[in-house]
Amino acid sequence: MKKDNNDKNNLMLNKKLSRRDMLRLAGVGGVGLLLGGGAIGSLLASDKKTTSNASTILSQDQDSIPFYGAHQAGIITPSQNFICFAAFDVITDNVSDIRKMFQKWTTASATMVSGSLIGNVNDNPNLPPSDTGEAAELSPSRCTITFGAGPSLFDARFGLQNKRPPSFQELPPFKADSLEPEWCGGDLCVQVCADDLQVAFHAIRNLARIARGTAVLRWTQEGFQRSTQADPKATTPRNLLGFKDGTANPNVTDSKLMNEVVWSQSVDGTAWMTGGSYMAVRRVRMRIEVWDRSTLKDQEDTFGRHRHSGAPLGSKDEFDSIKLDALDATTGKPVIPSNSHVALAHGDGSIQMLRRSYSYSSGLDLKTGQLDAGLLFISFQRDLQKQFIPIQQRLANNDKLNEYAVHKGSAVFACFPGTTEGGFIGETLFGGI
Amino acid sequence: MKKDNNDKNNLMLNKKLSRRDMLRLAGVGGVGLLLGGGAIGSLLASDKKTTSNASTILSQDQDSIPFYGAHQAGIITPSQNFICFAAFDVITDNVSDIRKMFQKWTTASATMVSGSLIGNVNDNPNLPPSDTGEAAELSPSRCTITFGAGPSLFDARFGLQNKRPPSFQELPPFKADSLEPEWCGGDLCVQVCADDLQVAFHAIRNLARIARGTAVLRWTQEGFQRSTQADPKATTPRNLLGFKDGTANPNVTDSKLMNEVVWSQSVDGTAWMTGGSYMAVRRVRMRIEVWDRSTLKDQEDTFGRHRHSGAPLGSKDEFDSIKLDALDATTGKPVIPSNSHVALAHGDGSIQMLRRSYSYSSGLDLKTGQLDAGLLFISFQRDLQKQFIPIQQRLANNDKLNEYAVHKGSAVFACFPGTTEGGFIGETLFGGI
């Protein structure tokens, strides 16, 4: 995209009309009266339009992330601090209802990630407000909203059987799975991430509201990771076991690599998914109380990394290469235990995927009196069969971490390619129907 | 406290030795080897000491809030973005165990709120780490940790029957209560607030770990409010019903008012609580889906305020006074409905309390398929009988908001006065036993 002065002016306009300012404009007896509702409406419409133009020139360390683009945001976007994840079940049997919902979801999402309220702030007092309002005055907070379809969407209900990507199906059972139905599956998913949890909650809630009559929430999970805002120099975030998580992620700024690892390609044979990505999500409960009683050595042997530095065992730096063949001079055993998490996840290094996980803490498990806390594991990949599944099979069979982690929830979603303004997310699948 | 150059130097030293830096110092092959473990130990000890001295000269808009002081932090402290609230039950019958736990809790809390890890970072590999580690590299994040005792602590188990403040007892039942035992009560409470949820979680988890054998978690709830970091100009936060919440709070910088409204005084007759405060906590589930279908007029009549501005109905500014006797010129009815939340909470304006609530979102209620979200209401007051209870009775009997809110959890706690370095929280109650 070209940067020109006009774009910069649009950006200024966009900046000037934040959620906060629009509220002020529309305040009781405010400019709304001076300009009349129609003028406010045009201002808002104009603002909405410039948002998507201007946002393409915003870099990702700024507060607003573009909604429109070749790919959906929220996949290779650097992780925000919070997630509200929701799986939905479709309750209509009419695919055109789904299409209409995605059209509304797209417009609402583009508005919300720009930091605006949905609809006209001068709401008719005799109707429900068009926006639930709890994100008023809050900044865009790098909010991203990412949509996907589960394998069940391609069953007989909607006539989409022939559209299912051949390699896209429910995950096979893994050894040591302890799945609970209330944390599994879903016809659709919405992943909202933002640096402000209230902004993320607001998005999920308004999308659920828009879905009324077409889809209902099946399960939701909030998550967090360390705040980059509180410490902008912070590096790889730590999970709730105290270890850095995500060190070995592929470089999201390498677009050739992203095409190999993350984005579905036209040669993969499913045209509607070209530019999309497949998500695996697992709700992994951590046995925190047991972990906290294990020794530091046991913890480091479990991960295969030093806790403080994040370096592979026997190395000094977090980003040192994983040397699985290094042997301890005294014992003759591998320095990095072969059943450690890093050894099994890394394998021969030939399989990569993009992890984008969040910690979760959901109060007490009343059955055990222990904390229901752990990891909402999320990965994106070009092909689940070739990436997530073989890695997870290795881990499920042998990972020493399985003593401390239990997979309670599981789902996979085909996350659509992006769309441009005027189009809608999911149009490659639902558009021609 | 005197400010002098020495304090400033200590502050610099304290700043230099953040969690992040200590980790770097103690990193594999790092300065730990150069100085020897003992030297690191003294550095840490010196750091810990200077933290509490230096922290008294930190103002509250900085990242670190002093743990020691005449009052506990986290009561009149301006709200942070997140809360992890935990109620504990004591499982020992020996009050000296409780005292020892509070001594350990105090030391650990002072360390954690300063941004340091508990214990020595050069942990013995053959022991469990002294800190669970997930807050490493994270800043203090304005973390506060506030402790209290529930009425049940004064039963026959510990010989504390005579120490119970006369006006401190379990709350009476309120009309429209729908309490569930798993969200009620507790012998002790720990309220952790911080601008980083991972820092708050870390504190609760480590305190629960320290309590092992003496107290166990009874219930916990995470909460959030709008991020002031994301928008430092933001004013009163909005609750999940989209309305500003906390507008009418008393001014926490008015120490005379705080002595009247919040802090227990020696004339109140319970010496060990002088300088402490009584907390009421209510887990209020909001019927979000029902609310979202109600009209803007109905919503505004429910709160008695304009949604956008937060102003009382009929007024323009959020902080305009509540005029309950103003009548609508056309209908002759009160402009602010008499059953509105603000009318009933305000009453004649003679009763005040300090509210310090957080929104919560805890996934789906599996029974109803609706969001389990709402408000973790928290208030602090000098006397529950004279403040929280009469206000809550007015609200419970008539509040129009009861159509949309259900009280599911409830507890009260006597939050101890603060302590100075070398002392411990709770010493006024447990110290002489």
Coordinates of all heavy atoms in Angstrom, one line a residue, chain B residues 204-245:
Chain B
I204 N -1.3 -15.2 44.5 CA -2.2 -16.1 45.1 C -1.7 -17.5 45.2 O -1.8 -18.2 46.2 CB -3.6 -16.1 44.3 CG1 -4.3 -14.8 44.6 CG2 -4.4 -17.3 44.6 CD1 -5.0 -14.8 46.0
R205 N -1.1 -17.9 44.1 CA -0.6 -19.3 44.0 C 0.5 -19.6 45.0 O 0.5 -20.6 45.7 CB -0.1 -19.6 42.6 CG 0.5 -20.9 42.4 CD 1.3 -20.9 41.1 NE 1.8 -22.2 40.7 CZ 2.4 -22.4 39.6 NH1 2.5 -21.4 38.7 NH2 2.9 -23.6 39.3
N206 N 1.4 -18.6 45.1 CA 2.5 -18.8 46.1 C 2.0 -18.7 47.5 O 2.6 -19.4 48.4 CB 3.7 -17.8 45.8 CG 4.5 -18.3 44.6 OD1 5.4 -19.2 44.8 ND2 4.2 -17.9 43.4
L207 N 1.0 -17.9 47.8 CA 0.5 -17.8 49.1 C -0.2 -19.1 49.5 O -0.1 -19.6 50.6 CB -0.4 -16.6 49.3 CG 0.3 -15.3 49.1 CD1 -0.6 -14.1 49.1 CD2 1.4 -15.1 50.2
A208 N -1.0 -19.7 48.5 CA -1.6 -21.0 48.7 C -0.6 -22.1 49.0 O -0.8 -22.9 49.8 CB -2.5 -21.3 47.5
R209 N 0.5 -22.0 48.3 CA 1.5 -23.0 48.5 C 2.2 -22.8 49.9 O 2.4 -23.8 50.6 CB 2.6 -22.6 47.4 CG 3.6 -23.7 47.1 CD 4.5 -23.2 46.1 NE 5.6 -24.1 45.9 CZ 6.8 -23.8 45.6 NH1 7.1 -22.5 45.4 NH2 7.8 -24.7 45.4
I210 N 2.4 -21.6 50.3 CA 2.9 -21.4 51.7 C 2.0 -21.8 52.7 O 2.4 -22.3 53.8 CB 3.3 -19.9 51.8 CG1 4.5 -19.5 51.0 CG2 3.5 -19.5 53.3 CD1 4.7 -18.0 50.8
A211 N 0.7 -21.8 52.4 CA -0.4 -22.1 53.4 C -0.5 -23.6 53.6 O -1.2 -24.1 54.5 CB -1.7 -21.6 53.0
R212 N 0.1 -24.4 52.7 CA -0.1 -25.9 52.7 C 0.0 -26.4 54.1 O 1.0 -26.1 54.9 CB 0.9 -26.5 51.8 CG 0.5 -28.0 51.4 CD 1.5 -28.5 50.4 NE 1.4 -27.8 49.1 CZ 2.5 -27.7 48.3 NH1 3.7 -28.1 48.6 NH2 2.3 -27.0 47.2
G213 N -1.0 -27.2 54.5 CA -1.0 -27.8 55.9 C -1.7 -27.0 56.9 O -2.0 -27.4 58.0
T214 N -1.9 -25.7 56.6 CA -2.5 -24.8 57.6 C -3.9 -24.3 57.0 O -4.8 -24.2 57.8 CB -1.6 -23.6 57.9 OG1 -0.4 -24.1 58.4 CG2 -2.2 -22.6 58.9
A215 N -3.9 -23.9 55.7 CA -5.1 -23.4 55.1 C -5.2 -23.9 53.7 O -4.2 -24.1 53.0 CB -5.2 -21.9 55.2
V216 N -6.5 -24.1 53.2 CA -6.7 -24.5 51.8 C -7.6 -23.5 51.2 O -8.5 -22.9 51.8 CB -7.3 -25.9 51.8 CG1 -6.3 -27.0 52.3 CG2 -8.6 -26.0 52.5
L217 N -7.5 -23.5 49.9 CA -8.4 -22.6 49.1 C -9.8 -23.1 49.3 O -10.1 -24.3 49.2 CB -8.0 -22.6 47.6 CG -6.7 -21.8 47.3 CD1 -6.2 -22.2 45.9 CD2 -6.9 -20.3 47.4
R218 N -10.7 -22.1 49.4 CA -12.2 -22.4 49.5 C -12.9 -22.0 48.2 O -13.6 -22.7 47.6 CB -12.8 -21.7 50.7 CG -14.3 -22.0 50.9 CD -14.8 -21.1 52.1 NE -16.2 -21.2 52.2 CZ -16.9 -22.1 52.9 NH1 -16.2 -23.0 53.6 NH2 -18.2 -22.1 53.0
W219 N -12.6 -20.8 47.8 CA -13.1 -20.3 46.5 C -12.2 -19.2 46.0 O -11.5 -18.5 46.8 CB -14.6 -19.9 46.5 CG -15.0 -18.8 47.4 CD1 -15.3 -18.9 48.7 CD2 -15.1 -17.4 47.0 NE1 -15.6 -17.6 49.2 CE2 -15.6 -16.7 48.2 CE3 -15.0 -16.7 45.9 CZ2 -15.8 -15.3 48.2 CZ3 -15.2 -15.3 45.9 CH2 -15.6 -14.7 47.0
T220 N -12.1 -19.1 44.7 CA -11.3 -18.0 44.1 C -12.1 -17.4 42.9 O -12.9 -18.0 42.3 CB -9.9 -18.5 43.5 OG1 -10.2 -19.3 42.3 CG2 -9.2 -19.4 44.5
Q221 N -11.8 -16.2 42.7 CA -12.4 -15.5 41.5 C -11.4 -14.5 40.9 O -10.9 -13.6 41.7 CB -13.7 -14.8 41.9 CG -14.4 -14.1 40.8 CD -14.9 -15.1 39.7 OE1 -15.6 -16.0 40.0 NE2 -14.4 -14.9 38.4
E222 N -11.2 -14.6 39.6 CA -10.4 -13.5 38.9 C -11.3 -12.5 38.5 O -12.5 -12.7 38.2 CB -9.6 -14.1 37.7 CG -8.6 -15.2 38.1 CD -9.3 -16.6 38.3 OE1 -10.5 -16.7 37.9 OE2 -8.6 -17.5 38.8
G223 N -10.8 -11.3 38.3 CA -11.7 -10.2 37.8 C -10.8 -9.1 37.1 O -9.6 -9.2 37.2
F224 N -11.5 -8.3 36.4 CA -10.8 -7.3 35.6 C -11.6 -6.0 35.5 O -12.8 -6.0 35.8 CB -10.5 -7.8 34.2 CG -11.8 -8.1 33.4 CD1 -12.4 -7.2 32.5 CD2 -12.4 -9.4 33.5 CE1 -13.5 -7.5 31.8 CE2 -13.5 -9.7 32.8 CZ -14.1 -8.8 32.0
Q225 N -11.0 -4.9 35.2 CA -11.7 -3.8 34.8 C -11.0 -3.1 33.7 O -9.9 -3.6 33.3 CB -11.9 -2.8 36.0 CG -10.5 -2.4 36.6 CD -10.6 -1.1 37.4 OE1 -11.7 -0.5 37.5 NE2 -9.5 -0.7 37.9
R226 N -11.5 -2.1 33.1 CA -10.9 -1.5 32.0 C -9.4 -1.1 32.3 O -9.1 -0.7 33.4 CB -11.7 -0.3 31.5 CG -11.8 0.9 32.5 CD -10.6 1.8 32.5 NE -10.7 2.9 33.5 CZ -10.2 2.7 34.7 NH1 -9.7 1.6 35.1 NH2 -10.2 3.7 35.5
S227 N -8.6 -1.2 31.3 CA -7.2 -1.0 31.5 C -6.9 0.5 31.5 O -7.1 1.2 30.5 CB -6.4 -1.6 30.4 OG -5.1 -1.2 30.4
T228 N -6.4 1.0 32.6 CA -5.9 2.4 32.6 C -4.6 2.6 31.9 O -4.3 3.7 31.4 CB -5.7 2.9 34.1 OG1 -4.8 2.0 34.7 CG2 -7.0 3.0 34.8
Q229 N -3.9 1.5 31.8 CA -2.7 1.6 31.0 C -2.9 1.8 29.5 O -2.3 2.6 28.9 CB -1.9 0.3 31.1 CG -1.3 0.1 32.5 CD -0.5 -1.2 32.6 OE1 -0.9 -2.2 31.9 NE2 0.5 -1.2 33.3
A230 N -3.9 1.1 29.0 CA -4.2 1.3 27.6 C -4.8 2.7 27.3 O -4.6 3.2 26.2 CB -5.3 0.3 27.1
D231 N -5.4 3.3 28.3 CA -5.9 4.7 28.0 C -5.8 5.4 29.4 O -6.7 5.5 30.2 CB -7.3 4.6 27.6 CG -7.9 6.0 27.2 OD1 -7.1 7.0 27.5 OD2 -9.0 6.1 26.7
P232 N -4.6 6.1 29.6 CA -4.4 6.7 30.9 C -5.4 7.9 31.2 O -5.5 8.3 32.3 CB -3.0 7.2 30.8 CG -2.6 7.2 29.4 CD -3.5 6.2 28.7
K233 N -6.1 8.3 30.1 CA -7.1 9.4 30.4 C -8.4 8.8 30.8 O -9.3 9.6 31.1 CB -7.3 10.3 29.2 CG -6.0 11.1 28.8 CD -6.2 11.6 27.4 CE -6.2 10.5 26.4 NZ -6.4 11.0 25.0
A234 N -8.6 7.5 30.8 CA -9.9 6.9 31.1 C -10.4 7.3 32.5 O -9.6 7.4 33.4 CB -9.8 5.4 31.0
T235 N -11.6 7.5 32.6 CA -12.2 7.9 33.9 C -12.8 6.7 34.6 O -12.2 5.6 34.7 CB -13.2 9.0 33.7 OG1 -14.1 8.6 32.7 CG2 -12.5 10.3 33.2
T236 N -14.0 6.8 35.1 CA -14.7 5.8 35.8 C -14.8 4.5 34.9 O -15.4 4.7 33.8 CB -16.0 6.3 36.3 OG1 -15.8 7.5 36.9 CG2 -16.6 5.3 37.3
P237 N -14.4 3.4 35.4 CA -14.6 2.2 34.5 C -16.0 1.8 34.4 O -16.9 2.1 35.2 CB -13.8 1.1 35.3 CG -13.7 1.6 36.7 CD -13.7 3.1 36.6
R238 N -16.3 1.1 33.3 CA -17.7 0.6 33.0 C -17.8 -0.9 33.5 O -16.9 -1.6 33.3 CB -18.0 0.7 31.6 CG -18.2 2.2 31.1 CD -18.5 2.3 29.7 NE -18.5 3.7 29.3 CZ -19.6 4.5 29.4 NH1 -20.8 4.0 29.8 NH2 -19.5 5.8 29.0
N239 N -19.0 -1.2 34.0 CA -19.2 -2.6 34.3 C -19.7 -3.3 33.1 O -19.8 -2.7 32.0 CB -20.2 -2.8 35.5 CG -21.5 -2.1 35.2 OD1 -21.9 -2.1 34.0 ND2 -22.2 -1.6 36.2
L240 N -20.0 -4.6 33.2 CA -20.4 -5.4 32.0 C -21.8 -5.1 31.5 O -22.2 -5.5 30.4 CB -20.2 -6.9 32.2 CG -18.8 -7.3 32.5 CD1 -18.7 -8.8 32.6 CD2 -17.8 -6.8 31.5
L241 N -22.5 -4.3 32.2 CA -23.8 -3.8 31.7 C -23.6 -2.5 30.9 O -24.6 -1.9 30.5 CB -24.8 -3.6 32.9 CG -25.1 -4.9 33.7 CD1 -26.2 -4.6 34.7 CD2 -25.5 -6.0 32.7
G242 N -22.3 -2.0 30.8 CA -22.0 -0.9 29.9 C -22.1 0.4 30.7 O -21.9 1.5 30.0
F243 N -22.4 0.4 32.0 CA -22.5 1.6 32.7 C -21.3 1.9 33.6 O -20.6 1.0 34.1 CB -23.8 1.6 33.6 CG -25.0 1.9 32.9 CD1 -25.6 1.0 32.0 CD2 -25.7 3.1 33.1 CE1 -26.8 1.3 31.3 CE2 -26.8 3.4 32.4 CZ -27.4 2.5 31.5
K244 N -21.0 3.2 33.8 CA -19.9 3.5 34.7 C -20.2 3.1 36.1 O -21.4 3.2 36.6 CB -19.7 5.0 34.7 CG -19.2 5.5 33.3 CD -18.8 7.0 33.3 CE -18.4 7.4 31.9 NZ -17.6 8.6 31.8
D245 N -19.2 2.6 36.8 CA -19.4 2.0 38.1 C -18.4 2.5 39.1 O -17.2 2.4 38.9 CB -19.3 0.4 38.0 CG -20.0 -0.3 39.1 OD1 -20.0 0.3 40.3 OD2 -20.6 -1.3 38.9

